[in-house]
Amino acid sequence: MEKKYIGIQDELLDFLMANRKSSILSRKLGYKFNQVSRWRNHSKKLKWPEFVRICQAVKIPIESVLEDVFGISIQRKSDCNKAFLKILL
């Protein structure tokens, strides 16, 4: 299971990074260190709230994606974090 998670994490980060520098995106996310690099080299796992923040930072409409794919109504950006629980249930 761990290998599958790492593969998914890598694919998501590759897509979200799309020619962006990891240090710049890390700063944009509010980190004083290169957190994106830590996710990419697998020293840290990318968690759902962090994934949502990256999507918002790179202007991917995660709210509408969640609505389209899972039928979950998202009223506020903060509801994206709660969506993960709804998906699992």
Side-chain angles (χ1 to χ4, degrees), residues 6-7 9-23 25-26 34-46 54:
I6 288 172
Q9 175 179 301
D10 289 345
E11 286 187 43
L12 286 171
L13 286 171
D14 287 346
F15 177 78
L16 293 171
M17 291 303 295
N19 299 322
R20 292 178 177 87
K21 293 190 179 229
S22 61
S23 59
L25 182 55
S26 290
N34 195 337
Q35 178 66 26
V36 175
S37 177
R38 292 178 183 188
W39 291 321
R40 293 189 74 123
N41 69 22
H42 309 128
S43 62
K44 292 288 185 180
K45 285 185 180 177
L46 178 64
I54 293 172

Side-chain angles (χ1 to χ4, degrees), residues 16 29 50-62:
L16 293 171
L29 292 169
E50 297 161 337
F51 169 72
V52 170
R53 285 179 47 219
I54 293 172
C55 289
Q56 293 167 344
V58 299
K59 308 284 189 240
I60 291 180
I62 187 67

